[in-house]
Amino acid sequence: MDAVHDLPLFLAAGLLLNFTPGPDMLYVIGTSTSRGVRAGWLAALGIGAGCLVHVGLAAVGISAVIASSPWAFELVKYLGAAYLVYAGLALLWRRGPAADGGAPRATDGVFVQGMLVNVLNPKVALFFLAFLPQFIDASSPGKAWAFTILGLLFTATGTAVNLAAAAAAGTLQARLRARGGGPGRWIDKVVGGVFVALGVRLALSART
């Protein structure tokens, strides 16, 4: 860990960033609200797995290639945007959710969806390349290991925050449904609209 400096500052800054609502947290909250706490947890774990993929890609230099290549960045960006829009439209077109009495829906594929939402967002790759090196000694021979360790720490704290957000959102939604005050079938429409908006936002985002 000689290559890492200001570790307490890194952990504090990382937690602040993790608590700041972003596309990943909104996806986790939306999934938990729409499909139950277990689905939200799987989405959070999928997001975490996506972060690990970015950490690995950054450690071996592939993320740097994506960051420096406009066409590669645009390709990944539009793939991610298209996937978010697809997931949103699938929710918007879903029929008959109210007939289940508010029971949590199937969780098939949620983990993979969460991972893809993160992996196909090139902004995450840029974040790791910009944030983590600030806490690594550039002259140290162990830069790659230091980057990996910091990436794992950031992923662990971020996953913990997302798991807590999923539990809170899903529990609140379940209580509202139990009292007859839940939004019923409209929750899919709201969450689907959020996903579509996130996809459009990603598609329109700049590389810088």
Side-chain angles (χ1 to χ4, degrees):
M1 291 292 288
D2 292 340
V4 177
H5 59 81
D6 298 321
L7 182 58
L9 178 60
F10 169 80
L11 293 174
L15 278 174
L16 287 175
L17 290 170
N18 288 327
F19 276 108
T20 302
D24 290 352
M25 182 179 287
L26 291 176
Y27 182 83
V28 169
I29 291 175
T31 301
S32 186
T33 304
S34 175
R35 304 174 69 173
V37 174
R38 184 168 181 267
W41 284 342
L42 288 173
L45 293 175
I47 293 292
C51 281
L52 293 179
V53 172
H54 279 292
V55 171
L57 293 177
V60 299
I62 296 178
S63 290
V65 174
I66 295 176
S68 61
S69 173
W71 70 265
F73 180 90
E74 293 296 315
L75 175 62
V76 176
K77 182 182 75 171
Y78 287 122
L79 285 174
Y83 186 78
L84 278 171
V85 171
Y86 165 78
L89 291 178
L91 285 172
L92 289 171
W93 290 336
R94 177 179 286 164
R95 294 182 178 180
D100 62 4
R105 301 183 180 88
T107 57
D108 296 344
V110 173
F111 177 87
V112 175
Q113 290 172 7
M115 185 171 66
L116 288 176
V117 165
N118 197 292
V119 170
L120 295 177
N121 186 352
K123 290 282 188 176
V124 179
L126 291 182
F127 166 78
F128 279 114
L129 290 174
F131 180 63
L132 269 61
Q134 298 181 51
F135 302 91
I136 299 175
D137 184 358
S139 63
S140 173
K143 293 190 295 293
W145 280 111
F147 191 99
T148 302
I149 291 172
L150 292 182
L152 291 174
L153 287 174
F154 184 85
T155 300
T157 56
T159 301
V161 170
N162 281 332
L163 288 171
T171 301
L172 177 61
Q173 174 63 10
R175 289 178 179 177
L176 289 174
R177 280 176 173 162
R179 296 176 181 178
R185 70 181 62 194
W186 289 104
I187 189 63
D188 280 343
K189 310 302 180 185
V190 174
V191 175
V194 170
F195 289 172
V196 171
L198 290 174
V200 173
R201 178 185 175 186
L202 178 59
L204 297 177
S205 64
R207 187 157 60 104
T208 55

